[in-house]
Amino acid sequence: MNMKTLLILLVLALATIFALVCVLLTRGRAPSACQHQPLGQEDTDDGQSLVFADLSPEEMAQVVRYLRGNLGVQLVDASRAKPSDNCIASVDVQIPAKAEVLRFLDGGGARPPREALAVLYFGNQPDPNVTEYVVGPLPRPVYHRDVTVQKYGGKVPYHRRPVTGKEYVDINALIQRELRKAPRFLAACCESDGTDLAILTTAPRGFKSGDRETWFVLFHSVAGTGYYLSPVGLEVLVDHRDLHVSRWQLRKVFYNGRYFASTGDLEDAFVDNLLDMVRIRKPLAEAVLGSMRPQHPPGSPGPLQYEPQGPRYSVRDNRVTFQGWSIAFGMNPNSGPRLFDIRFRGERIVYELSLQEALALYGSNCPGGMSTRYFDGSFGIGRFAYELVRGLDCPYTATYVDRHYLAESETPKTNQNSLCIFEHDAGLPLRRHFSDSQSFYYGGLRKNTLVIRTVSTLINYDYIWDFMFHGSGAVEVRVHATGYISSSFLHGQGTNYGNRVGPHTLGTMHLHHIHYKVDLDVDGQLNSLETQDMEYELVKDPWSMQNTIERPYLRRERLEREDEAAFPLNTPMPRYLSFASSKPNKWGHPRSYRIQIISFAGEHLPTSSSMERSISWGRYQLAITRRKEEEPTSTSVYNQNDPWTPTVIFADFVDNETITNEDLVAWISVGFLHVPHAEDVPNTVTVGNGVGFFLRPYNYFDEDPSVDSPDSVYFSSEQDAGACGANPLACLSPTAACAPHLSPFRYGGFLNLSLAPPLGGL
């Protein structure tokens, strides 16, 4: 063997030894504590959830293009349209009928055609009206059909249409012209010429069908802070019913407890020294009531929530999956967040879970406040869900999703990062036990939930909408109210309607009532309603017959008809109320889901009120009805401006039909009475201002499904609890090095906004 061959063999031997050493060194090595782990939940959706998906901007644009070319009428962009014009008011997805969807999802049927719902205002017609068209199929529409009569029983009168941004701009111009007729009064009372005053709308608009007269409340406006706490005492009533803007009129003026026919009359009263005027200095930015600017420099950072091995949930298109949960999510521009096809462990629990309406009803001794009943859906709960602030509105590392809408413009708008999804550690055990008898052990499970969140800013109020999914199979729905209170000018007996919170500011009492639709499908579409509650029975002790004992027992009942299952607001209802399947669990009980409501609602508007039927859903804390395609929502955006002849009357849904073994819907009302107080300045806090409900499994499973959670912890006195193999909590130390690299903070929530007068305020 020559030297060259020997060297080659030596090199090969060294390479082989090196390779073997590498294999031995890496064999059995645990994966990095920071390595992204597979989710363990197979994605089997195959795009089925897209049947519920919101429209894309491209689809919206295609619908607009089709309508402009196929309606045979002149259309003006809604952002510029006068009341006497025709325009496209909004475009949203048209969710197919439930039967069609289920044939597709469960029965192998064809995918339903994708369609849009377009709302048009026809002001340039002999009979002005609002018309709704279904347009399809997307993405290249070729047909449209008028569904207005089918949905509402007739054409929608034109006066019921929501007020557009252009209409508010024209109203502002009218108010500014009228204010110029009282220059000396404005200079003396408010240190203003009127142009720097903020103007806030009220609603509804009048006293009878056909009216369109709105009270507008004026405030001092200071850049960078909320004007809602700085009323100047001046309010004006504008009649804007006529289709011709030039014919609109200012009907009435209110100032500090007195009514005047015009701003000219108000000016005359001031000049003649016949006015009880309160001089209000224009507030300075650094001293204005309600400033949210920090009063101290930043301190040390608080706790940071993050996933050491990456998110344990998956978001694909409009669907999120997490530890057995699967949810399709979306956003209605008017009514807000909506979820579909909620499944746990592959079984559908809820077909639809959607916000329907948010009502704010005020009291005051000023005309604007005392007449206000805001139906927030008519303003746009989903449309005004703006970008969320990373690290405050949601965890910094949450998944943020854009939402798109088309309203009051022919150009789609995007609210980027306006919905967030994250796993939340509640800092509380979901369940636990420490055993100190017979044997010594500890067992428990952290309460980790999947959260889907969005926040609607309806001018002064911010509503935080949460949908939470627990490892126990429970769904939790919660809303928190924050933001600024609305206020009136303090005069006379104002404190009969609230509390004084500033020199001239009355925090006006109001109630928040929220309505949800919950289409539960518990082990199938056909369910019945079962209730359980407790009573006491007096019995003789079996072992001591001369004595008695009060024994609690369970009273079970099946409710047969809708009237029995409509529970009036603020009245007792059964503590256990469940949607029950006809199929039993392992222990012979009907597989069921329980509805548990957490609410502190105020009093509903008296049924004698001329506008009560428009919010008749508020009569009930819970109403169970048979599901019908012709009853898709509990209210309508058209109810706000004509509550006296409402387009949708929820009370008519409750008509005593049988509810045994039927496809049922639960309509749930939650809310609270808010009497503003000093601590509502600068902002209302979320603490104590949250309400909602749970959907909880009740004998649906054979045991708590969270026993299968990979996060379970168990160790006994005979084990070394500090050993990673015995206790997963002992494995957490290495993950402390897994703090994520956070992306730079960016925010674009102001991009789609303008400094137009905020007349559309709530």
Side-chain angles (χ1 to χ4, degrees):
M1 182 181 295
N2 59 32
M3 184 62 67
K4 184 177 180 180
T5 302
L6 185 62
L7 288 173
I8 292 172
L9 291 174
L10 183 61
V11 169
L12 290 173
L14 288 172
T16 302
I17 292 170
F18 179 76
L20 288 172
V21 169
C22 290
V23 169
L24 291 172
L25 287 175
T26 57
R27 178 177 294 173
R29 178 183 293 176
S32 166
C34 303
Q35 182 176 328
H36 195 291
Q37 296 296 304
L39 295 173
Q41 181 169 341
E42 201 169 320
D43 194 342
T44 59
D45 179 77
D46 295 329
Q48 287 186 319
S49 62
L50 292 174
V51 72
F52 304 109
D54 295 344
L55 297 182
S56 68
E58 294 76 17
E59 289 174 318
M60 296 174 189
Q62 289 284 4
V63 172
V64 170
R65 191 173 299 116
Y66 172 84
L67 292 172
R68 293 193 68 86
N70 290 273
L71 290 185
V73 298
Q74 182 180 1
L75 294 174
V76 178
D77 191 297
S79 63
R80 304 187 308 271
K82 302 185 295 292
S84 56
D85 290 327
N86 305 321
C87 68
I88 300 171
S90 65
V91 176
D92 189 24
V93 66
Q94 172 73 13
I95 301 295
K98 182 178 181 179
E100 288 184 66
V101 173
L102 293 186
R103 276 195 297 270
F104 167 63
L105 294 179
D106 303 340
R111 181 184 291 270
R114 187 154 168 81
E115 297 177 320
L117 179 68
V119 178
L120 281 89
Y121 297 164
F122 288 118
N124 188 13
Q125 288 191 357
D127 179 24
N129 65 84
V130 179
T131 300
E132 298 190 359
Y133 294 107
V134 168
V135 181
L138 300 176
R140 289 175 290 278
V142 296
Y143 62 79
H144 66 280
R145 63 180 184 273
D146 186 341
V147 295
T148 317
V149 175
Q150 173 189 334
K151 290 177 67 173
Y152 306 118
K155 287 290 185 183
V156 176
Y158 199 54
H159 66 263
R160 295 183 189 173
R161 72 194 186 283
V163 177
T164 66
K166 176 62 166 64
E167 188 172 352
Y168 281 126
V169 169
D170 291 337
I171 291 169
N172 178 67
L174 169 62
I175 293 175
Q176 291 300 326
R177 288 196 303 271
E178 293 296 327
L179 290 179
R180 286 197 289 269
K181 298 176 182 178
R184 286 174 286 186
F185 162 75
L186 286 173
C189 87
C190 317
E191 296 184 351
S192 170
D193 62 358
T195 59
D196 57 349
L197 296 179
I199 304 172
L200 188 67
T201 190
T202 65
R205 309 175 192 280
F207 292 99
K208 64 182 185 305
S209 293
D211 284 353
R212 205 172 179 85
E213 293 187 349
T214 306
W215 279 102
F216 292 92
V217 185
L218 281 72
F219 298 82
H220 266 140
S221 179
V222 178
T225 189
Y227 59 85
Y228 321 98
L229 298 175
S230 302
V232 298
L234 182 62
E235 304 183 11
V236 295
L237 178 65
V238 176
D239 182 349
H240 50 115
R241 175 183 178 182
D242 201 287
L243 299 189
H244 299 282
V245 175
S246 62
R247 298 174 187 167
W248 293 355
Q249 294 181 332
L250 188 145
R251 294 289 188 188
K252 196 76 66 177
V253 177
F254 172 86
Y255 177 73
N256 194 21
R258 288 183 59 187
Y259 291 87
F260 302 87
S262 67
T263 51
D265 287 355
L266 174 63
E267 177 82 348
D268 291 342
F270 169 73
V271 171
D272 295 338
N273 202 26
L274 300 175
L275 190 65
D276 182 12
M277 194 190 68
V278 179
R279 298 180 184 274
I280 302 177
R281 302 290 301 270
K282 185 171 182 177
L284 301 175
E286 60 272 16
V288 67
L289 187 67
S291 173
M292 294 183 67
R293 290 182 172 87
Q295 299 184 12
H296 299 282
S300 59
L304 175 66
Q305 178 175 322
Y306 64 93
E307 302 99 341
Q309 295 179 340
R312 303 197 300 177
Y313 59 86
S314 172
V315 180
R316 178 183 174 189
D317 298 320
N318 64 319
R319 189 172 64 92
V320 57
T321 54
F322 171 74
Q323 295 188 354
W325 285 105
S326 171
I327 307 106
F329 60 87
M331 182 82 79
N332 183 299
N334 297 317
S335 58
R338 53 189 174 193
L339 309 180
F340 291 96
D341 198 26
I342 300 173
R343 304 186 189 211
F344 187 60
R345 292 181 161 188
E347 294 187 347
R348 182 177 300 110
I349 305 298
V350 180
Y351 177 76
E352 177 185 356
L353 169 51
S354 57
L355 178 63
Q356 297 289 295
E357 185 61 280
L359 166 71
L361 188 153
Y362 283 79
S364 174
N365 61 344
C366 295
M370 74 173 71
S371 60
T372 292
R373 289 98 172 86
Y374 290 128
F375 306 171
D376 289 348
S378 71
F379 292 86
I381 297 172
R383 174 184 170 190
F384 294 117
Y386 295 116
E387 180 171 1
L388 298 163
V389 173
R390 187 181 297 268
L392 199 156
D393 292 329
C394 308
Y396 202 98
T397 58
T399 298
Y400 292 83
V401 183
D402 297 347
R403 296 289 86 195
H404 313 285
Y405 68 91
L406 190 148
E408 295 188 29
S409 171
E410 293 184 358
T411 303
K413 299 287 196 311
T414 297
N415 286 339
Q416 64 183 25
N417 301 330
S418 55
L419 183 145
C420 71
I421 300 168
F422 58 95
E423 182 182 354
H424 175 60
D425 183 346
L428 179 75
L430 178 65
R431 50 178 174 78
R432 59 95 72 191
H433 180 66
F434 176 85
S435 176
D436 62 353
S437 62
Q438 299 298 313
S439 60
F440 305 140
Y441 64 88
Y442 174 89
L445 178 65
R446 285 188 320 220
K447 184 181 178 182
N448 281 18
T449 61
L450 178 76
V451 181
I452 300 175
R453 172 178 294 169
T454 190
V455 181
S456 299
T457 298
L458 296 160
I459 304 300
N460 60 304
Y461 260 111
D462 297 58
Y463 293 100
I464 302 171
W465 312 105
D466 280 343
F467 301 86
M468 293 167 276
F469 302 88
H470 296 269
S472 62
V475 180
E476 182 179 357
V477 178
R478 188 163 290 267
V479 54
H480 288 88
T482 179
Y484 285 97
I485 60 172
S486 191
S487 68
S488 290
F489 188 76
L490 179 63
H491 75 94
Q493 301 301 311
T495 52
N496 288 342
Y497 310 98
N499 287 313
R500 182 180 182 181
V501 296
H504 306 287
T505 304
L506 175 71
T508 47
M509 63 181 293
H510 56 281
L511 55 82
H512 295 278
H513 285 181
I514 317 294
H515 205 226
Y516 292 90
K517 177 183 181 180
V518 186
D519 182 359
L520 280 153
D521 284 353
V522 179
D523 198 9
Q525 281 182 260
L526 305 183
N527 296 144
S528 300
L529 192 67
E530 296 196 346
T531 67
Q532 299 176 29
D533 214 328
M534 64 172 289
E535 289 187 2
Y536 286 98
E537 57 184 357
L538 186 65
V539 297
K540 291 185 177 181
D541 287 343
W543 64 91
S544 181
M545 296 298 288
Q546 70 273 24
N547 295 310
T548 59
I549 188 172
E550 294 79 13
R551 178 172 61 185
Y553 73 95
L554 198 58
R555 186 183 72 249
R556 303 177 190 265
E557 186 178 0
R558 174 167 289 189
L559 304 186
E560 305 286 345
R561 294 193 170 272
E562 289 177 346
D563 285 6
E564 299 175 74
F567 300 95
L569 193 70
N570 295 329
T571 61
M573 61 181 288
R575 292 175 177 87
Y576 278 68
L577 190 148
S578 306
F579 272 42
S581 165
S582 59
K583 303 167 190 173
N585 72 352
K586 179 179 178 180
W587 313 113
H589 297 291
R591 301 186 74 198
S592 306
Y593 255 76
R594 176 190 174 197
I595 299 171
Q596 184 177 358
I597 299 174
I598 311 297
S599 179
F600 318 99
E603 298 300 322
H604 179 61
L605 195 66
T607 55
S608 57
S609 167
S610 61
M611 63 180 69
E612 186 275 339
R613 281 164 57 80
S614 65
I615 51 170
S616 54
W617 52 264
R619 297 179 188 178
Y620 312 103
Q621 55 188 314
L622 173 67
I624 309 297
T625 66
R626 287 172 62 168
R627 188 192 186 278
K628 298 177 182 178
E629 286 295 335
E630 59 268 28
E631 296 175 350
T633 59
S634 61
T635 185
S636 164
V637 295
Y638 311 123
N639 281 15
Q640 174 72 91
N641 290 338
D642 191 357
W644 309 281
T645 310
T647 303
V648 173
I649 304 171
F650 176 77
D652 292 346
F653 294 10
V654 183
D655 53 3
N656 211 29
E657 291 185 291
T658 179
I659 53 173
T660 301
N661 205 34
E662 298 284 354
D663 191 0
L664 304 178
V665 174
W667 305 89
I668 300 175
S669 296
V670 297
F672 59 93
L673 171 67
H674 187 187
V675 183
H677 44 88
E679 292 80 9
D680 281 305
V681 177
N683 268 182
T684 294
V685 298
T686 54
V687 177
N689 289 319
V691 292
F693 59 91
F694 292 88
L695 307 174
R696 298 175 59 186
Y698 186 74
N699 291 318
Y700 185 85
F701 302 101
D702 300 330
E703 62 179 348
D704 176 15
S706 73
V707 297
D708 293 331
S709 172
D711 298 332
S712 295
V713 170
Y714 175 89
F715 52 84
S716 70
S717 60
E718 300 173 356
Q719 295 174 289
D720 178 6
C724 184
N727 172 19
L729 296 177
C731 308
L732 292 179
S733 295
T735 67
C738 298
H741 174 71
L742 300 181
S743 58
F745 182 90
R746 293 186 176 89
Y747 189 70
F750 306 122
L751 294 178
N752 286 332
L753 304 182
S754 67
L755 291 176
L759 293 167
L762 297 185

